[in-house]
């Protein structure tokens, strides 16, 4: 049994010894990712001192203004991983197309997708941000993977994790055998197991959603939020607290630590009609982690990990957290959809 205080290196080696097909490639890949995130953590912590905060005056493929640390973090991950020999290719939220491994480097059997710095709009105000990553298997026989090879349903992920850069630097990881949390000990430069076998409580009194968008929400989301805001006097019969950090890594980490639900639903605005968060870089890895911790992850109408991606930067609605709450939102969507189909001319709200 792996105990608290175990180093990440020992943890991952002992964990993968249980798999007879393990070759060591996966262990080395994870170690390289974690090393790159330590470098990002250092830049984040010293950002105000080394002039890497603020806008880079460029835009990513989604038309969003990039922060200097977005670009720096993306470059750190590419530079650390392209030569390793463990990857067939990479895809990043910050790059328009998949990144092929240069011909001068050996290629491996895995694909990596990542959001190099989630929540980077918060860098100037010292709010927790993070790196999200997901590891997929490269399809058999593929030497030069194309975009289509990355478009795998989230249920096919080999591993998902994130590194949270906050008062402490935390690594949270799943390989499909539960969720474990590590904390960076800066004195020795190693992540230490501090939160083994994380689980999400079934019941919660906390919810996270951007309330400023409520006029744009679908009826099911309005109904759910109206009920929790009504508190003890409402149909739920108890008070709820709202939380909103505007950093998905921070929101998910809070849910893993003490429960809750996080909603970033689609709404009637033109740029959010399909959802706001990216399926490959954010929704899939976080959904894998949440499910492995006993929670649920849904678009509001279906399990996120069952969605087959159609394009590299596809967006999707995200409702994740305590299973009881996520399933309630799903029921409300099904009810509202049924009413709408029976009376298509009726506006529900």
């Amino acid at each position: 049994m792996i105990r608290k205080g175990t180093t990440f290196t020992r943890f991952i080696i002992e964990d993968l010894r249980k798999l007879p097909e393990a070759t060591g490639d996966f262990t080395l890949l994870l170690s390289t990712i974690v090393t790159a995130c330590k470098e990002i953590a250092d830049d984040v912590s010293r950002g105000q001192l080394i002039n890497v905060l603020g806008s880079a005056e460029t835009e990513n493929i989604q038309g969003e203004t990039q922060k200097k640390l977005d670009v720096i973090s993306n470059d750190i991950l590419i530079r650390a991983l392209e030569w390793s020999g463990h990857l067939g290719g990479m895809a990043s939220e910050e790059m328009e197309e998949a990144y092929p491994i240069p011909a001068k480097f050996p290629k491996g059997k895995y694909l990596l997708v990542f959001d190099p710095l989630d929540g980077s709009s918060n860098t100037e105000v010292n709010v927790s941000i993070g790196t999200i990553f997901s590891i997929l298997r490269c399809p058999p026989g593929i030497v030069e993977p194309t975009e289509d090879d990355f478009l795998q349903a989230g249920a096919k992920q080999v591993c998902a994790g994130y590194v949270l850069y906050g008062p402490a630097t935390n690594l949270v990881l799943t390989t499909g055998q539960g969720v474990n949390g590590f904390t960076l000990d800066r004195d020795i430069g190693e992540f230490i197991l501090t939160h083994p076998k994380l689980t999400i409580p079934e019941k919660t009194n906390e919810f996270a959603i951007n309330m400023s968008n409520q006029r744009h929400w679908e009826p099911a989301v309005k109904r759910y939020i109206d009920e929790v805001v009504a508190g003890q006097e409402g149909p739920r019969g108890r008070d709820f607290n709202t939380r909103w950090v505007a950093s998905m890594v921070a929101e998910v980490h809070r849910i893993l630590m003490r429960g809750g639900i996080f909603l970033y639903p689609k709404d009637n605005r033109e740029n959010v009609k399909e959802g706001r968060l990216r399926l490959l870089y954010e929704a899939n890895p976080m959904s894998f982690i949440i499910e492995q911790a006993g929670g649920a992850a849904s678009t509001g109408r279906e399990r996120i990990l069952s969605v087959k991606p159609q394009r590299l930067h596809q967006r999707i609605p995200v409702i994740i957290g305590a299973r009881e709450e996520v399933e309630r939102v799903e029921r409300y969507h099904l009810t509202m959809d049924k009413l709408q189909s029976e009376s298509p001319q009726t506006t529900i709200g």
Side-chain angles (χ1 to χ4, degrees):
M1 179 179 176
I2 301 174
R3 301 174 179 273
K4 265 188 174 183
T6 300
T7 66
F8 172 76
T9 303
R10 178 176 176 179
F11 173 90
I12 202 64
I13 290 173
E14 293 192 1
D15 194 45
L16 290 176
R17 278 178 182 165
K18 304 170 189 174
L19 303 176
E21 69 275 17
T23 63
D25 287 349
F26 182 69
T27 303
L28 291 171
L29 172 58
L30 271 179
S31 295
T32 306
I33 293 170
V34 168
T35 299
C37 289
K38 291 177 190 176
E39 185 176 347
I40 295 171
D42 186 59
D43 282 349
V44 169
S45 66
R46 298 193 301 130
Q48 296 180 11
L49 303 175
I50 59 177
N51 193 31
V52 295
L53 301 186
S55 172
E57 298 183 357
T58 56
E59 291 185 348
N60 61 19
I61 181 58
Q62 292 87 23
E64 299 165 335
T65 300
Q66 292 176 304
K67 299 294 184 179
K68 292 177 183 177
L69 276 172
D70 282 322
V71 178
I72 291 169
S73 301
N74 192 75
D75 289 346
I76 287 172
L77 286 161
I78 294 292
R79 187 177 69 248
L81 291 156
E82 64 179 357
W83 63 271
S84 68
H86 307 305
L87 293 175
M90 292 179 266
S92 165
E93 182 180 311
E94 299 301 328
M95 299 186 295
E96 181 175 359
E97 299 176 345
Y99 182 85
I101 301 301
K104 62 182 177 180
F105 298 129
K107 294 180 174 61
K109 60 185 178 182
Y110 296 105
L111 301 175
L112 178 70
V113 297
F114 56 88
D115 180 351
L117 202 62
D118 176 75
S120 59
S121 61
N122 288 315
T123 53
E124 289 92 340
V125 292
N126 205 25
V127 170
S128 297
I129 54 181
T131 298
I132 307 172
F133 61 90
S134 167
I135 299 173
L136 302 162
R137 285 187 177 86
C138 193
I142 300 297
V143 179
E144 300 290 344
T146 65
E147 177 175 325
D148 288 344
D149 297 312
F150 287 85
L151 303 182
Q152 303 179 33
K156 293 187 176 182
Q157 293 173 100
V158 176
C159 170
Y162 66 80
V163 177
L164 175 76
Y165 313 117
T169 298
N170 296 114
L171 164 66
V172 173
L173 187 79
T174 183
T175 58
Q177 305 295 321
V179 179
N180 291 281
F182 304 79
T183 302
L184 180 62
D185 183 336
R186 294 184 181 274
D187 288 340
I188 63 173
E190 178 68 279
F191 279 99
I192 305 299
L193 181 64
T194 50
H195 297 83
K197 297 298 180 184
L198 285 165
T199 57
I200 299 170
E202 291 186 10
K203 290 186 177 292
T204 183
N205 293 315
E206 289 188 346
F207 68 98
I209 193 169
N210 188 343
M211 295 291 288
S212 68
N213 294 326
Q214 58 185 313
R215 65 191 184 281
H216 304 296
W217 293 338
E218 291 187 288
V221 176
K222 289 181 180 178
R223 175 184 174 185
Y224 177 78
I225 297 300
D226 285 347
E227 289 182 356
V228 296
V229 169
Q232 193 169 13
E233 292 75 24
R236 300 299 302 275
R238 67 180 192 270
D239 291 329
F240 285 75
N241 291 320
T242 185
R243 299 285 184 265
W244 183 252
V245 184
S247 165
M248 191 184 189
V249 169
E251 305 285 5
V252 169
H253 196 70
R254 185 184 61 251
I255 289 171
L256 288 170
M257 293 298 113
R258 66 187 195 199
I261 182 173
F262 167 78
L263 305 93
Y264 210 132
K266 70 176 185 176
D267 59 43
N268 59 26
R269 290 174 293 170
E270 191 60 37
N271 64 337
V272 195
K273 284 185 176 179
E274 292 185 349
R276 181 68 178 172
L277 300 177
R278 287 74 173 179
L279 176 57
L280 287 178
Y281 312 113
E282 297 166 317
N284 272 346
M286 290 308 203
S287 296
F288 191 18
I289 291 168
I290 289 290
E291 284 197 4
Q292 284 293 313
S298 174
T299 67
R301 293 174 170 85
E302 63 180 320
R303 181 187 180 214
I304 288 174
L305 294 184
S306 297
V307 176
K308 176 68 170 66
Q310 301 301 310
R311 55 192 182 279
L312 210 54
H313 296 282
Q314 180 176 340
R315 297 177 188 260
I316 196 170
V318 172
I319 299 162
I320 58 177
R323 180 171 297 277
E324 180 179 293
E325 299 302 312
V326 173
E327 290 176 350
R328 179 181 290 269
V329 178
E330 282 189 326
R331 289 198 304 272
Y332 290 178
H333 274 290
L334 291 173
T335 299
M336 296 299 184
D337 289 349
K338 183 178 180 182
L339 287 173
Q340 186 65 28
S341 66
E342 291 173 350
S343 305
Q345 303 304 317
T346 303
T347 300
I348 304 171

